[in-house]
Structures are given as structure tokens and as C-alpha cells.
Amino acid sequence: MSQPLISIITPCYNAAPFLKEAMDSVLSQTYPHFEWVLVNDGSTDATEAIIHSSNDARIRYYKQENKGQCAASNFGLSKATGDYIKFFDADDVMNAQHLEA
């Protein structure tokens, strides 16, 4: 039996001050079978550079003009392919066992 894929969806708008910590918390999960859909919602800060600083193959990056958090979340949901969905804000931090639990 294969492990289910979890899609993490994160809308990002000018999230540079928080995004590195959020990324570290997601990429250090003990449950590795996930895709991370990051939607840059027209950020004007270093959000895009921070996302591109990681070469993790589980990250799926999309950029759109600013349409608001709901539109960015819905766009991310349309790109998700997982069995389960986890919405995760760009300024959140998750403990290392969150997805496994």
C-alpha cells in the first residue's frame, strides 16, 4: 500500500520576513510524501527569491498578479494533485511531525 500524497497549499503575498522559517518547517517534515503548492500572489518583496532558494522537488511554484488570498488559495487548490489538502499560511510554522500525525 502506497502512502497518500498530501498537498500543502500556501498563498504568499509579501511574505519575505516569515517565509524562510515556514519553508524550513515544511521541508523538515517526518512524513515526506507531500507536494507543496506555493502561489506568489503578486509579491513586491523577496518572496520569489526565497522560494527559488530551495531546490526541493516537492515544491511547485506559481506566480500570479495580486488577486487576494482567497483567489491564490483557490488557484493553488486547482493545481493540487494530493489525496489530502493542507492549507498553510506563509507566516505559519508546523512541527516536524504534523503531516505524519
Side-chain angles (χ1 to χ4, degrees):
M1 181 170 126
S2 66
Q3 295 178 315
L5 179 67
I6 299 173
S7 294
I8 303 167
I9 300 169
T10 301
C12 304
Y13 178 73
N14 290 345
F18 317 103
L19 191 53
K20 178 73 171 109
E21 186 176 11
M23 290 182 73
D24 289 345
S25 76
V26 171
L27 297 176
S28 64
Q29 288 296 299
T30 57
Y31 184 84
H33 199 60
F34 65 86
E35 65 177 0
W36 194 5
V37 180
L38 287 139
V39 181
N40 183 348
D41 189 40
S43 295
T44 58
D45 65 359
T47 293
E48 184 170 37
I50 293 168
I51 293 169
H52 285 311
S53 71
S54 176
N55 292 325
D56 195 298
R58 297 171 294 186
I59 292 176
R60 298 177 49 210
Y61 174 70
Y62 299 93
K63 185 175 183 179
Q64 66 180 24
E65 68 180 54
N66 183 258
K67 296 179 182 178
Q69 182 175 2
C70 289
S73 294
N74 286 334
F75 179 81
L77 185 59
S78 77
K79 298 299 183 183
T81 63
D83 302 298
Y84 298 99
I85 302 294
K86 166 71 178 162
F87 287 100
F88 182 74
D89 291 336
D91 62 350
D92 286 349
V93 176
M94 109 176 35
N95 74 46
Q97 296 81 28
H98 183 82
L99 296 180
E100 185 175 356

